[in-house]
Amino acid sequence: MINAISQNLYCKKIEQFIQRLSQRVLATTMPLSGGYARSQEPVAFSDRLARQYEPAEEGMQWGATWDSAWFHLQGTVPVEWQGKEVVAQLDFNGEALVFDAGGVPIQGLTNGSVFIDPGQWSGRTILPLFERAEGGEKVELWVEAAASSLFGVQRQPEADRGSPTRHGTYTGTVNRMRLAVFNREIWLLAIEMHTLYQLFKAQPADSTRHTRLLHGLSDAVDLFADDSAQASACRDQLKPLLATPAHASAPTVTAVGHAHIDTAWL
């Protein structure tokens, strides 16, 4: 069993490493250009061209509580990104749905999560585009955004009956609107480190597995040595920890649930 002071030092080391990994998932980025058309009610894809579009850029507010907006985004993959995996990083501080130029839905977007603090590796803000870019590809995306979060809008507890914010507020903001080089090995390493760290925290402090997980995670941090090229080697080192089953007397649990697809807001 590790003493409390040493364990806290190990934990800080691992937590800070996972945070640093999240900052390396998107190695290089460039802004997408585009415009947006705001509305109080959702507008169908077929009617989007009839709207009046204004320039859109990162940092701007595009809407308020329950507003909708269409974004038309365009860009070109730099030739220097040849051979790299290229994605779009899209965050409109709300929920959104991406369409291609023909109106086919591609992917939903949100910067919220009930499981983990959203970041570059954990939030639903990454849209895969090219697994291996040739360089020079044209990108055109249509995004329908809603100024609301996973659970609606931000509500004020026990608001006065006459308060203008009694029924909640929300701000639609363009947080990210970029093309990016995606480092998949770093992303996978971040996920595996996070998974094992959560498993470590769930183990009894006096258990052998608790100690092995802590030392194994710490060793992976040391092996990385602040060199992204070491990501694959770190993942190989973590494989035995991920493959270790529960002890023989542990119960078998089957989780059953359903997927609630909330299309009413889009």
Side-chain angles (χ1 to χ4, degrees), residues 37-53 67-70 99 143-145 265-266:
R38 173 181 176 178
S39 61
Q40 291 186 327
E41 296 294 331
V43 174
F45 182 86
S46 58
D47 297 327
R48 76 199 188 287
L49 296 178
R51 310 296 299 178
Q52 197 73 23
Y53 284 77
D67 279 349
S68 294
W70 276 104
F99 296 79
V143 184
E144 184 185 13
W265 311 119
L266 300 178

Coordinates of all heavy atoms in Angstrom, one line a residue, residues 37-53 67-70 99 143-145 265-266:
A37 N -26.7 32.4 -40.6 CA -28.0 33.0 -40.7 C -28.8 32.6 -39.4 O -29.1 31.4 -39.2 CB -28.8 32.6 -41.9
R38 N -29.1 33.6 -38.6 CA -29.8 33.3 -37.3 C -31.3 33.4 -37.5 O -31.8 34.1 -38.3 CB -29.3 34.4 -36.3 CG -30.0 34.4 -35.0 CD -29.4 35.5 -34.1 NE -30.1 35.6 -32.8 CZ -29.7 36.5 -31.9 NH1 -28.7 37.3 -32.1 NH2 -30.4 36.6 -30.7
S39 N -32.0 32.6 -36.7 CA -33.5 32.6 -36.7 C -34.0 32.1 -35.3 O -33.3 31.5 -34.6 CB -34.0 31.6 -37.8 OG -33.6 30.3 -37.5
Q40 N -35.2 32.6 -35.0 CA -35.8 32.2 -33.7 C -36.4 30.8 -33.7 O -36.5 30.1 -32.7 CB -36.8 33.2 -33.2 CG -36.2 34.5 -32.9 CD -37.3 35.5 -32.3 OE1 -38.4 35.4 -32.7 NE2 -36.9 36.3 -31.3
E41 N -36.7 30.3 -34.9 CA -37.3 29.0 -35.1 C -36.4 28.2 -36.1 O -35.8 28.8 -36.9 CB -38.7 29.1 -35.6 CG -39.7 29.7 -34.7 CD -39.9 28.9 -33.4 OE1 -39.8 27.7 -33.5 OE2 -40.2 29.5 -32.4
P42 N -36.3 26.9 -36.0 CA -35.5 26.1 -36.9 C -36.0 26.3 -38.3 O -37.2 26.5 -38.6 CB -35.8 24.7 -36.4 CG -36.2 24.8 -35.0 CD -37.0 26.1 -34.9
V43 N -35.0 26.3 -39.2 CA -35.2 26.4 -40.7 C -34.8 25.2 -41.4 O -33.7 24.6 -41.1 CB -34.4 27.6 -41.2 CG1 -34.6 27.7 -42.8 CG2 -34.9 28.9 -40.6
A44 N -35.6 24.6 -42.2 CA -35.3 23.4 -42.9 C -34.1 23.5 -43.8 O -33.8 24.6 -44.3 CB -36.5 22.9 -43.7
F45 N -33.4 22.4 -44.1 CA -32.2 22.5 -45.0 C -32.6 23.0 -46.3 O -31.9 23.8 -46.9 CB -31.6 21.1 -45.1 CG -30.4 21.0 -46.0 CD1 -29.2 21.2 -45.5 CD2 -30.5 20.7 -47.4 CE1 -28.0 21.2 -46.2 CE2 -29.4 20.7 -48.2 CZ -28.1 20.9 -47.6
S46 N -33.8 22.7 -46.8 CA -34.2 23.1 -48.2 C -34.5 24.6 -48.2 O -34.5 25.2 -49.3 CB -35.5 22.3 -48.6 OG -36.5 22.5 -47.6
D47 N -34.7 25.2 -47.1 CA -35.0 26.7 -47.1 C -33.8 27.5 -46.6 O -33.9 28.7 -46.5 CB -36.2 26.9 -46.1 CG -37.4 26.2 -46.5 OD1 -37.7 26.1 -47.7 OD2 -38.2 25.8 -45.6
R48 N -32.6 26.9 -46.4 CA -31.5 27.6 -45.8 C -31.0 28.7 -46.7 O -30.5 29.7 -46.3 CB -30.4 26.7 -45.4 CG -29.6 26.1 -46.6 CD -28.8 24.9 -46.3 NE -28.0 24.5 -47.4 CZ -28.4 24.1 -48.6 NH1 -29.6 23.9 -48.8 NH2 -27.5 23.8 -49.6
L49 N -31.0 28.5 -48.0 CA -30.4 29.4 -49.0 C -31.2 30.7 -49.1 O -30.7 31.7 -49.6 CB -30.3 28.8 -50.4 CG -29.4 27.5 -50.5 CD1 -29.4 27.0 -51.9 CD2 -28.0 27.9 -50.1
A50 N -32.5 30.7 -48.6 CA -33.3 31.9 -48.7 C -32.9 32.9 -47.5 O -33.4 34.0 -47.5 CB -34.8 31.5 -48.6
R51 N -32.1 32.4 -46.6 CA -31.8 33.3 -45.4 C -30.7 34.3 -45.8 O -29.9 34.1 -46.8 CB -31.3 32.4 -44.3 CG -32.2 31.2 -43.9 CD -33.5 31.7 -43.4 NE -33.4 32.5 -42.2 CZ -34.5 33.0 -41.6 NH1 -35.7 32.8 -42.1 NH2 -34.3 33.7 -40.5
Q52 N -30.6 35.3 -45.0 CA -29.5 36.3 -45.2 C -28.3 36.0 -44.3 O -28.5 35.8 -43.1 CB -30.1 37.7 -44.7 CG -29.3 38.9 -45.2 CD -29.4 39.1 -46.7 OE1 -30.5 38.7 -47.3 NE2 -28.5 39.8 -47.3
Y53 N -27.2 35.8 -44.9 CA -26.0 35.3 -44.1 C -25.0 36.5 -43.8 O -24.8 37.4 -44.6 CB -25.3 34.2 -44.9 CG -26.0 32.9 -44.9 CD1 -27.1 32.7 -45.7 CD2 -25.6 31.9 -44.0 CE1 -27.8 31.4 -45.6 CE2 -26.2 30.7 -43.9 CZ -27.3 30.5 -44.7 OH -28.0 29.3 -44.7
D67 N -32.4 30.1 -29.8 CA -32.2 30.5 -31.2 C -31.7 29.3 -32.0 O -31.1 28.4 -31.5 CB -31.3 31.7 -31.3 CG -31.9 33.0 -31.0 OD1 -33.2 33.0 -30.9 OD2 -31.2 34.0 -30.9
S68 N -31.9 29.4 -33.3 CA -31.3 28.5 -34.3 C -30.4 29.3 -35.3 O -30.6 30.5 -35.4 CB -32.3 27.7 -35.0 OG -33.0 26.8 -34.2
A69 N -29.5 28.6 -36.0 CA -28.7 29.3 -37.0 C -28.2 28.2 -38.0 O -27.9 27.1 -37.6 CB -27.6 30.1 -36.4
W70 N -28.1 28.6 -39.2 CA -27.4 27.8 -40.2 C -26.0 28.4 -40.4 O -25.9 29.7 -40.6 CB -28.1 27.8 -41.5 CG -29.2 26.8 -41.6 CD1 -30.6 27.0 -41.5 CD2 -29.0 25.4 -41.8 NE1 -31.2 25.8 -41.6 CE2 -30.3 24.8 -41.8 CE3 -27.9 24.6 -42.0 CZ2 -30.5 23.4 -42.0 CZ3 -28.1 23.2 -42.1 CH2 -29.3 22.6 -42.1
F99 N -24.3 18.8 -41.9 CA -24.8 18.2 -43.2 C -23.7 18.4 -44.3 O -22.9 19.4 -44.2 CB -26.0 19.0 -43.7 CG -27.2 18.8 -42.8 CD1 -27.3 19.6 -41.7 CD2 -28.2 17.9 -43.2 CE1 -28.4 19.4 -40.8 CE2 -29.4 17.8 -42.3 CZ -29.5 18.6 -41.2
V143 N -24.0 23.5 -41.2 CA -24.2 23.1 -39.8 C -25.5 23.9 -39.3 O -25.5 25.1 -39.3 CB -23.0 23.5 -38.9 CG1 -23.3 23.0 -37.5 CG2 -21.7 22.9 -39.4
E144 N -26.4 23.1 -38.8 CA -27.6 23.7 -38.1 C -27.3 23.7 -36.6 O -27.1 22.6 -36.0 CB -28.8 22.9 -38.4 CG -30.1 23.6 -37.8 CD -31.3 22.7 -38.0 OE1 -31.2 21.6 -38.4 OE2 -32.4 23.3 -37.8
A145 N -27.2 24.8 -36.0 CA -26.9 24.9 -34.6 C -28.1 25.4 -33.8 O -29.0 26.1 -34.3 CB -25.7 25.9 -34.4
W265 N -34.8 19.4 -30.9 CA -34.1 20.8 -30.8 C -33.5 21.2 -32.1 O -33.1 22.3 -32.3 CB -33.1 20.8 -29.7 CG -33.6 20.2 -28.4 CD1 -33.1 19.1 -27.7 CD2 -34.7 20.7 -27.6 NE1 -33.8 18.9 -26.6 CE2 -34.8 19.9 -26.5 CE3 -35.6 21.8 -27.7 CZ2 -35.8 20.1 -25.5 CZ3 -36.6 21.9 -26.8 CH2 -36.7 21.1 -25.7
L266 N -33.3 20.2 -33.0 CA -32.5 20.5 -34.2 C -33.4 20.9 -35.4 O -34.6 20.5 -35.5 CB -31.6 19.3 -34.6 CG -30.6 19.0 -33.5 CD1 -29.9 17.7 -33.9 CD2 -29.7 20.1 -33.2

